[in-house]
Amino acid sequence: MNNNIDHTDPAKDMNTERGNGGETHQRAGDDTKVLTTQQGVAISDNQNSLKAGARGPTLLEDFVLREKINHFDHERIPERIVHARGSAAHGYFELTESLEEYTTAKILTETGKQTPLFTRFSTVAGNKGSKDTPRDVRGFAVKMYTEEGNWDLVGNNMPIFFIQDAIKFPDLIHAVKPEPDRGFPQAASAHDTFWDFVSLSPETMHNLIWLMSDRALPRSFSMMEGFGIHTYRLLNKEGKSTFFRYHWKPVAGVQSLIWDEAVKISGADPDYNRRDMYEAIENGMYFEWELGVQLFTEEEANEFPFDHLDATKLIPEELVPVKIIGKMVLNRNPDNFFAETEQVAFCPSHIPPGIDFSNDPLLQGRLFSYLDTQLSRLGSPNFVQIPINAPKCPFANNQQDGHMQMQVPKTRVLYEPQSLDLDRPRESPQKGFNSFHEKLDDGVKGRIRAESFADHYSQPRMFYRSQTPAEQAHIASAYAFELGKVDTAHVRTRVLSHLINIDEDLANRVANALGMELPEAAEPAAPVQDMDTSKPLQTIGRTPKSLKGRLVGILVAEGSNHEQVKKFEDAINAQGGMVKIVAPSKEVKLDDNTRIQADERVAGAPSVFFDAVVSIIMPDQAKKLAEDSSTLDWFTDAYVHCKAIAYCGATDEFILSKLPVEKDEFVTPLAKLDSFVENAKSRLWEREPKVRDLA
């Protein structure tokens, strides 16, 4: 609660003057930096261009104007084709358990050492100016500045991908992006071209059901898991290979929004997840994950009921447990969004010695694609010299020149072998990167997909049947919503034919919601297996009961009880939660004459921003707020989104009584503070079927 409001305007003390046209000039003093051009020339007037007379033409000789406008005209670089909208933070990785038995990579063998890193979260489909909360896959990319070179762990918040071969990536993205003849919808898969493509590509079914699940609507970046999608190799000092897949496990637990919240948040605050991370880190509430690996041999992989080189398949944790080996902490926001978050360049091909690739055909294509993309976006092969991309370990090579070369090699020799400069770098078989000496089979070269990639339904079936009833309802409702946006009837029918193979109950729920009859099931390319269910695939079933990292909104107005507000604020903070004060106006006076500044006005902070809400208002203010639609929505949305509500007597008498709010166990009076705090740690999912139609 901010009761220290300072209206003092510092501009009055910044040597401010008015010019002839009333424009504001702020002059540098003896202790103030002087504004200069890029060449270091001091600027005398930053408000007016050079003119031939007060009302005459502007002169071309004004190099200050030309430089300023020229730089502005070139401020933007091409945005990423996918993952354009991103947010990032600095932090560190600390290894807690050595993998020396499996790898020579120091980042995975030297415990206790903190390695700096930079992590970027993103959405896949939308452009840079889209929203944070669409139904979409989230990118989860980590750049570790190891002492053996940069390691880029370029993953997603889902453990699998839509396609099995990189040659299909342009088709997938062209299908999900805005349709080219109309330029919409933005950041949305709910349209004909996407569903036409996926319904003709059964390999997409597994990632598709994840996309329809709550995993596609993360509550916070800190509540997302991260996955590498592909199988990689670890190589030990004997050259022995062990396969691995990596997992980032959020310390805050997995939690998602529900679709109605995501839709409303998109309109109220398109920067919702970005703002959440920025404010949390600024307030010292750092984001943390544990790094885990699934380790397995080639012999073990041969016994899996799927092909581990198929990026549309996950490895259930019950089959290969996740071994926790370290932690990541994000503890510092970028100093400059463009220089760091926008210019950071991740490439899966950036790996240190001791780590290697598998033959996953999707991974193999990414090894080319990402580097090619960085050359296009950042304009030069020298993109690694941008500070956010530069290694923090010593590096030396014989590369030269190129656009924006910022290094100055002081040698006549930029080649090798050579004998003219004994200090130039040379290769090192002992320290250098070595690829695994793989014995290849006697197969025939050709454009062939392995038969072991043919099962497209067993893992989606496992995923759906592993979910809680509430999550299954959300998945079915998501399919119904998305297909409700598809106008081509045969595409909807084709999707239903695939859903029958995944789960007939799911297919029936979606068909009933759309008013359609079930078609015949699609012909599977391989027998569909009934795999064991896996609890780690759940979201709601794994969301921890905790206030840590959660945000509670407290509604106040003129005359609200200061002591009561403080009591709730202290109780929430004690549990690791955060509080924002919401009021009808930006400043309000409480009952003890304390004037406070609200964090948000109720008209601009709908309850979808909060994990739980409290109302502490006086009768006269409650009467006024009862006539305000945004206030009524504030309570209604909190209720229909299954959140905890604490209310005072005036709120009950004048507001809740007008609304379809049932006083269940999560709607409590202020006197039940402890109950509210406990309720605020989760949601009452049993309420959901009473407040909305679910497929």
Side-chain angles (χ1 to χ4, degrees), residues 18 44 57 71 80 113-114 215 245 287 312 417 464-465 480 529 544 546 551 568 680:
R18 295 290 182 193
S44 61
H71 194 282
R80 292 166 169 85
K113 182 178 179 181
Q114 293 188 354
R215 294 293 186 114
R245 288 196 180 189
F287 285 11
T312 69
Y464 180 73
R465 293 180 178 178
Q529 306 173 68
S546 172
L551 182 61
F568 270 80

Side-chain angles (χ1 to χ4, degrees), residues 347-361:
C347 298
S349 54
H350 294 166
I351 56 175
I355 300 172
D356 202 359
F357 312 112
S358 73
N359 292 335
D360 177 341

Side-chain angles (χ1 to χ4, degrees), residues 565-580:
V565 174
K566 190 73 168 59
K567 185 189 299 184
F568 270 80
E569 190 174 38
D570 290 346
I572 293 161
N573 290 338
Q575 294 285 327
M578 298 175 288
V579 169
K580 281 196 173 182

